[in-house]
Amino acid sequence: MRRNRRLFVAISLVSGFGSSAMSLVSGIWILDLTGSSGLAALAQLCVYAPVLAGPWLGGVLDRAPRRPLIIGVNLALAAALSTLFAVRGPGDAWLIFAVSFAYGVSYVMIDAGETALLPSALSAAELADVNGWRSSAQEGMKLVAPLAGAGLYAWRGAHPVVAISALMPILVAGLYAALRLARQPPAPPVERRHDLRAGLVAVFERPAIRVPVLLAAVSISMSGFATAGFYAVVTRELNLPATFLGVLVSAQGLGSILGGMIVGRLITRRGATAVAVAGTVLFAAGCLGRCLPWWPSTVAASVVAGVGLPWALVAAVTAIQTRTPAELLGRVTGTANTVMFGPIALAIPLGAAAVQLGSATPLIAAAAFCLTAAAVAARRPIPPEREEPAICSPQVSTRR
């Protein structure tokens, strides 16, 4: 099992480096080709749009062998990235948008597939810890990879970044192939229709899944809602240059790394719902701390917010993995991802409108919403003895 734990963390490191580097460079590349910041921003929309199809893409994972499908998706992504070598001028910018969309589809399928694969590779007791380590690895790459990608782009142009990013999914496919998975009994036939309904029912009928997922959805959407206020406080209230945002983003990333390292033990001791509540409260505290007119408090608040977000997310993912029948994990994970990440597309423009009422308005509103959600969840906690029994993963075989 230690082998599988190391492999999953390595997968998060390798895939996180490639995707984080290319995510920033694709926008810079489009900006350089077209001169349009609006078109550059659309590249990120292409990445996030496929999350809305999460229930259906997750359903595909429930109908096919998961590891071969995940390996195939990674190899297809590498092939898609290789088409970017053909980009030479503004007329070829559509290829970058197409590959950004392919990245978005792969994110949904690989994330759902890996979440569904983890219970067949690890014992139930290990899931929370490994989910936390994976979160720390991914956040660490978000600190390192964009800087490395932007530096390489400035030095040698986009094609070397494309080459490295295309190599990463191939390496990830090899790491998936090296996993040792448990033999599981054949899953019952999966209904090919109603993927949305089946996923929603599985997410919302069990309080032990529903509550952490909704708390994660609130925290993540409010992080998008508060973004405009975050920027405005730094530039208007603190009178600091916009480049100081880089310091705060790094501080939040540091908090996410630290939070991911300890969240597994907290979930084991306190349960996913309690940790999701704590994470939501910490994120709210971080929003309020960013309103204070003193830059050190803003830095500290960014660290606190960085701890809270992965606590809420990892708690939700762990609840899904331990409370969902194996044959439904793909659809449930895809549906939960849509519930957790879909609202951010609406929250960001709403926050941009709310900032017109005052720099701190989106931050205060986000904190109030998070605290209300946490209070509702904590008011009616799920007693451990009344929680549905965890669906433990089988013992891992030593053969592939």
Side-chain angles (χ1 to χ4, degrees):
M1 294 187 188
R2 289 182 179 178
R3 169 194 174 96
N4 283 347
R5 284 184 290 183
R6 288 194 286 268
L7 285 172
F8 275 116
V9 174
I11 286 169
S12 295
L13 288 169
V14 174
S15 62
F17 183 88
S19 61
S20 296
M22 198 63 215
S23 176
L24 177 62
V25 167
S26 61
I28 298 173
W29 199 0
I30 291 171
L31 183 60
D32 284 348
L33 288 173
T34 67
S36 170
S37 57
L39 287 176
L42 282 178
Q44 288 302 305
L45 178 61
C46 290
V47 172
Y48 285 109
V51 76
L52 299 176
W56 294 276
L57 293 174
V60 173
L61 287 160
D62 287 335
R63 301 188 196 107
R66 285 165 182 157
R67 175 161 57 179
L69 185 59
I70 294 172
I71 291 173
V73 170
N74 274 284
L75 295 178
L77 178 60
L81 281 162
S82 68
T83 65
L84 294 180
F85 288 113
V87 176
R88 301 293 177 183
D92 301 320
W94 68 271
L95 278 171
I96 305 176
F97 289 110
V99 171
S100 295
F101 185 80
Y103 249 125
V105 173
S106 74
Y107 285 156
V108 175
M109 295 196 71
I110 292 171
D111 185 59
E114 185 171 308
T115 300
L117 200 63
L118 272 160
S120 63
L122 300 168
S123 68
E126 294 177 300
L127 286 173
D129 277 334
V130 174
N131 284 331
W133 297 338
R134 289 167 58 226
S135 174
S136 293
Q138 291 162 1
E139 292 300 327
M141 287 302 99
K142 289 178 184 178
L143 294 178
V144 175
L147 180 61
L152 184 58
Y153 177 89
W155 181 38
R156 290 292 185 181
H159 289 164
V161 182
V162 170
I164 293 173
S165 297
L167 177 62
M168 296 298 106
I170 297 173
L171 295 177
V172 168
L175 292 171
Y176 276 117
L179 289 169
R180 292 173 177 166
L181 303 182
R183 293 184 179 274
Q184 298 188 32
V190 176
E191 174 62 45
R192 291 182 176 272
R193 299 179 182 178
H194 309 307
D195 284 335
L196 176 59
R197 179 181 175 186
L200 287 172
V201 169
V203 168
F204 287 103
E205 72 176 356
R206 290 170 174 256
I209 297 176
R210 181 179 68 242
V211 175
V213 166
L214 289 179
L215 286 172
V218 168
S219 299
I220 292 167
S221 61
M222 288 302 100
S223 72
F225 184 83
T227 298
F230 179 39
Y231 292 170
V233 165
V234 170
T235 56
R236 298 178 192 171
E237 308 302 324
L238 298 178
N239 293 318
L240 293 171
T243 51
F244 187 73
L245 291 166
V247 176
L248 300 182
V249 170
S250 296
Q252 181 167 330
L254 176 62
S256 295
I257 293 171
L258 296 174
M261 292 173 67
I262 64 174
V263 67
R265 282 170 285 177
L266 290 174
I267 292 173
T268 300
R269 295 175 183 175
R270 301 294 183 182
T273 300
V275 173
V277 169
T280 304
V281 170
L282 283 176
F283 179 72
C287 288
L288 293 176
R290 286 170 170 171
C291 298
L292 298 176
W294 190 43
W295 71 261
S297 69
T298 305
V299 174
S302 295
V303 175
V304 172
V307 173
L309 276 177
W311 279 17
L313 180 58
V314 172
V317 170
T318 304
I320 292 165
Q321 290 169 332
T322 55
R323 305 285 173 182
T324 304
E327 67 272 12
L328 292 176
L329 264 172
R331 280 180 289 180
V332 173
T333 302
T335 301
N337 282 344
T338 300
V339 172
M340 291 188 291
F341 293 99
I344 197 172
L346 180 61
I348 291 173
L350 287 177
V355 80
Q356 304 305 317
L357 301 175
S359 300
T361 299
L363 292 164
I364 295 172
F369 201 82
C370 287
L371 290 174
T372 301
V376 171
R379 185 179 179 182
R380 294 184 178 179
I382 305 167
E385 64 273 12
R386 293 183 59 189
E387 287 191 1
E388 300 89 349
I391 298 169
C392 298
S393 57
Q395 293 301 309
V396 178
S397 171
T398 55
R399 293 188 290 180
R400 296 181 189 177

